[in-house]
Amino acid sequence: MKTEIIRLDGDVPNTSIDLRILKFAGSDAQAPKAYLQSSLHGAELPGQAALHFLIPMLKKAAEENRILGDITLVPQANPVASDQWSTHQHMGRFDAFSKVNFNRDFPLLNNFDTSSLPAIDAPISLVRRLKAQLLRLALPHDIVLDLHCDDESESYLYSANLFAEGIQDLAVALGSTAILTWNDEVAGAPPFEDACAHPVLKMKRSELDLKRRLVTTIEFRGLTDVYAESGKSDAEGLYKFLVHRGTVSDEGVKLEGSYKGLVTPFDNVEIVRAPVGGMIFYHTEPGDVVEKDAKLVTIVSVPGEPEHDVVVTAPQPGRVLTRRSVRYIRRGDDLVKLLADKPSQIIKKPGSLEA
Ligand SMILES: [Zn+2]
C-alpha cells in the first residue's frame, strides 16, 4: 500500500488541507479498479469506520499478492467539512462560506478525460479545487463507492437506473434494505455520484460492461451508528463485494444469496415534511411498513394544549426508510423518507438526491 498526501492551499495565506490517499496496485490490468471515499460530509462516520477495518484486510491481501485491480481509498475525503465546527457542534453538510451542500456542484465531464478539471492551484476556492481533485481521483476507476450515512436510517443505496440490476450484489454484500434509483438524468449542480456516473451514462451501451462498472452512494444507516462491530461487518461486506467483482482474490470468500429488498424509483420516495415547527413525537421508525394515513409524527407547537397538536400521516402506503435524529424541527423540515409504490405528488428535481 502506498500513502499519498495531496496538499491543497487554503484560500487565505498560511492555510492548507491535506488529502490522505491510500493506493493498492493491482496485479491484473484487466481486473476492475475500485475507488472508495468516505466522510464527504465531514462527520458522517459509519463509512469511515468501515474503511478503518477494510484497509487492514486489503493490506493482508496485498501481502499475499491477492489485489488484482487497483484500489484507491480516501477515508477522510473532505478535511474542510471535518474541521467545520460552530458553537461546539459539528457542521459538516454545508460549506459555511457559500452555504452550498458539500455533495453538490461537482464538475460535469462528458468522458473520462480529466485534463480539463481545475488544477489544485487554480484560482478558484479550495472547496471547488477539492471537488475537482476528488473527481480526478475517482474517474479512472470502474467502481466508485461514495460512503455516506443518513440521519436515522436503514442501510440503503442510491443508483442510476442504469446500474439498478448490477448493484444488487453490493446490496446483498452490505445487507442493504433498499436501492433508490434515479432516472439517469444529471442536473446542473450534481452530487459526486452523479458527476462520476455522468461519463458512464454517456458511454455507448455496446461498450459498457455493467457487471464491471458501478457508481453509487452508500448510506450506511444513521449518524450515530458508529460502532466497531458494525464497522467490521460493513468492512467484511465491502471486502466480499470486491472479491465478488474480481478486484481482490480470496478463495475463502463467496457472495451468496439474492437481493430481497426494495428497488424504488426516486419519484416514489415520499419526503414527508413538517407543516409547522415544534417538538416531535415519532410513531414510526426505519423499517416500519405503514398504511396510507398511518400516524407518522405528532408535532407539538403549543405544549400543554394537545388540541393544537399536528399529526402528520403517510400520504400513501410504504416503508419508512429514514427519520430525523433531532426532536425539535422547523416548518418545512424533512421528517421521514417513505418508500412508496406509486410516484409522490411532490415534484422532484432530476438527479440522485433530494434538494
Ligand atoms: Zn452525506
Side-chain angles (χ1 to χ4, degrees):
M1 186 188 82
K2 212 172 80 189
T3 303
E4 241 178 61
I5 304 287
I6 297 183
R7 178 158 293 177
L8 289 93
D9 286 340
D11 295 328
V12 292
N14 307 317
T15 61
S16 63
I17 59 162
D18 285 349
L19 203 54
R20 176 171 156 267
I21 298 141
L22 311 177
K23 289 186 171 175
F24 292 89
S27 58
D28 177 357
Q30 301 308 311
K33 300 174 173 59
Y35 174 88
L36 295 87
Q37 72 174 25
S38 71
S39 308
L40 184 59
H41 281 134
E44 290 182 0
L45 298 172
Q48 197 175 115
L51 295 190
H52 178 66
F53 293 104
L54 175 67
I55 288 160
M57 297 167 83
L58 297 178
K59 278 185 180 167
K60 184 168 183 288
E63 281 159 17
E64 295 167 1
N65 295 317
R66 293 188 287 104
I67 304 283
L68 303 180
D70 292 348
I71 304 172
T72 303
L73 303 111
V74 188
Q76 291 153 308
N78 189 347
V80 180
S82 303
D83 193 30
Q84 211 172 251
W85 301 77
S86 177
T87 57
H88 294 257
Q89 295 194 43
H90 190 262
M91 306 270 177
R93 192 163 179 81
F94 295 89
D95 177 3
F97 177 73
S98 66
K99 308 279 196 290
V100 174
N101 186 325
F102 281 116
N103 193 19
R104 296 292 185 282
D105 215 8
F106 275 81
L108 266 189
L109 299 174
N110 286 328
N111 56 46
F112 298 96
D113 177 3
T114 59
S115 60
S116 65
L117 286 174
I120 57 168
D121 60 353
I124 55 173
S125 73
L126 169 60
V127 170
R128 287 182 61 201
R129 284 179 280 130
L130 173 64
K131 287 174 181 174
Q133 182 56 38
L134 292 173
L135 196 60
R136 188 159 33 236
L137 284 166
L139 278 186
H141 300 77
D142 304 284
I143 295 165
V144 176
L145 309 182
D146 189 16
L147 280 44
H148 288 249
C149 68
D150 209 298
D151 204 349
E152 283 185 10
S153 174
E154 297 195 280
S155 185
Y156 69 97
L157 307 171
Y158 282 100
S159 143
N161 267 332
L162 181 71
F163 305 117
E165 258 190 67
I167 199 175
Q168 297 197 4
D169 56 354
L170 178 65
V172 171
L174 297 179
S176 313
T177 55
I179 299 167
L180 272 50
T181 61
W182 51 279
N183 56 9
D184 296 354
E185 209 185 307
V186 178
F192 178 76
E193 176 193 337
D194 302 36
C196 291
H198 195 242
V200 184
L201 297 169
K202 293 275 174 196
M203 284 172 78
K204 283 192 194 131
R205 294 293 183 268
S206 57
E207 291 169 7
L208 183 55
D209 180 357
L210 288 168
K211 293 215 166 5
R212 180 184 181 92
R213 289 250 174 216
L214 179 64
V215 180
T216 179
T217 305
I218 301 174
E219 301 284 355
F220 271 127
R221 298 177 295 280
L223 279 169
T224 59
D225 294 321
V226 184
Y227 301 97
E229 293 72 23
S230 52
K232 270 180 207 159
S233 72
D234 290 338
E236 281 160 15
L238 290 169
Y239 181 80
K240 199 179 272 190
F241 167 74
L242 291 172
V243 170
H244 180 71
R245 286 289 176 115
T247 301
V248 177
S249 156
D250 192 328
E251 302 258 299
V253 170
K254 217 173 174 59
L255 183 65
E256 271 161 0
S258 59
Y259 179 62
K260 304 271 190 328
L262 294 173
V263 179
T264 304
F266 196 62
D267 283 349
N268 294 22
V269 181
E270 294 280 7
I271 297 176
V272 180
R273 298 202 162 92
V276 294
M279 169 171 70
I280 54 174
F281 300 140
Y282 274 109
H283 305 296
T284 53
E285 58 184 8
D288 285 352
V289 174
V290 297
E291 294 301 323
K292 179 177 171 12
D293 297 329
K295 278 165 74 174
L296 300 176
V297 186
T298 296
I299 307 175
V300 178
S301 44
V302 189
E305 297 185 13
E307 62 273 25
H308 295 295
D309 289 357
V310 174
V311 177
V312 180
T313 57
Q316 56 169 320
R319 180 186 175 100
V320 176
L321 182 69
T322 74
R323 68 179 188 182
R324 302 297 302 279
S325 57
V326 293
R327 296 295 180 264
Y328 184 50
I329 48 86
R330 294 166 65 98
R331 182 187 299 210
D333 276 359
D334 299 351
L335 296 170
V336 163
K337 276 196 203 94
L338 184 73
L339 305 184
D341 292 338
K342 293 188 196 137
S344 163
Q345 296 308 303
I346 300 162
I347 306 297
K348 299 205 181 69
K349 291 179 183 169
S352 68
L353 303 172
E354 69 267 36

